Amino acid sequence: LHEAKRRNDEMASLPDTKRKQGPSNAESKVRQKSKELEQLREYEARLRSETETATLEASKSIEAAETERARRKIKIEALKEVEGKLRALAQATKQEAAVT
């Protein structure tokens, strides 16, 4: 960077006929492509980070859904058990009432 600034200052101080040529077109293209490559690498890193975050959040969401599903299954089983006991109690009550 300092070298480029020095060259620029040097070129500006010379008369038009004696000015050195600046960097070649190829050098400019190489610098431009290097900048583009660095930007792409930064973009890739950002995408990787966002993807990892999204994957982790999705995983937590799936885990929470599976936990909730297991809780509901346990509740359903408990309700079925209570329903069976209530039916048995109702049947016993009917039989008692029929006897008396």
Side-chain angles (χ1 to χ4, degrees):
L1 185 63
H2 295 291
E3 179 63 24
K5 186 176 180 343
R6 185 189 62 74
R7 241 186 300 154
N8 233 6
D9 293 344
E10 207 175 87
M11 286 174 47
S13 67
L14 295 173
D16 284 344
T17 56
K18 293 191 177 184
R19 282 191 185 164
K20 293 181 183 176
Q21 269 193 329
S24 71
N25 194 26
E27 290 173 329
S28 293
K29 285 183 181 178
V30 167
R31 274 198 295 278
Q32 179 62 33
K33 292 296 178 185
S34 293
K35 286 180 187 177
E36 290 174 9
L37 180 60
E38 184 59 31
Q39 289 173 341
L40 286 173
R41 285 183 178 147
E42 290 171 2
Y43 179 68
E44 178 188 23
R46 212 170 33 252
L47 283 179
R48 283 182 193 269
S49 175
E50 290 172 4
T51 300
E52 288 172 5
T53 301
T55 302
L56 182 61
E57 289 173 3
S59 177
K60 286 180 181 179
S61 178
I62 290 169
E63 188 176 315
E66 288 173 348
T67 301
E68 182 60 27
R69 191 177 309 123
R71 283 187 190 138
R72 286 181 182 171
K73 187 176 179 181
I74 290 169
K75 285 181 183 178
I76 289 170
E77 292 301 317
L79 287 173
K80 284 180 181 178
E81 187 177 319
V82 168
E83 181 184 26
K85 289 179 181 179
L86 286 174
R87 285 181 193 270
L89 182 61
Q91 185 66 28
T93 305
K94 281 183 186 178
Q95 287 175 353
E96 256 184 56
V99 170
T100 52

